[in-house]
Amino acid sequence: MDAVTPDPARSASEPSDVATLSFEQARDELVRVVGELEQGAPTLEESLALWERGEALAARCDEWLRGAKRRLEAAQAAGDAGDEA
């Protein structure tokens, strides 16, 4: 592997760093991981590591989206309560 491309085995073994990613960072890395999987990793182990990383990134994106939905619902509820007053 070259110095620019992260080692998928190392990345997949460190899922805690996914928790610090913004939605955009997680989404962009997920796109990269999917692209690498589509091209075909050289080994089964690398494919599995990429898959695991992708799962963690997808979960992070979902976490951000669920949080955004909760915030929107709270803002709508607050707006509706203000309209009724």
Side-chain angles (χ1 to χ4, degrees):
M1 292 228 155
D2 60 43
V4 175
T5 305
D7 179 0
R10 187 177 83 61
S11 297
S13 66
E14 297 176 8
S16 62
D17 71 328
V18 171
T20 65
L21 297 178
S22 70
F23 173 79
E24 292 78 8
Q25 291 168 323
R27 179 202 58 212
D28 292 348
E29 187 177 346
L30 181 56
V31 168
R32 182 192 58 77
V33 166
V34 168
E36 286 186 43
L37 283 169
E38 287 175 341
Q39 291 177 7
T43 67
L44 177 59
E45 186 61 36
E46 289 176 0
S47 292
L48 289 172
L50 284 167
W51 180 269
E52 290 169 348
R53 181 70 176 178
E55 288 289 324
L57 291 163
R60 180 63 175 157
C61 288
D62 187 56
E63 180 182 347
W64 270 107
L65 292 172
R66 283 184 281 120
K69 182 179 179 185
R70 283 191 300 272
R71 289 175 62 188
L72 287 172
E73 289 170 347
Q76 287 174 333
D80 291 344
D83 291 343
E84 294 175 4

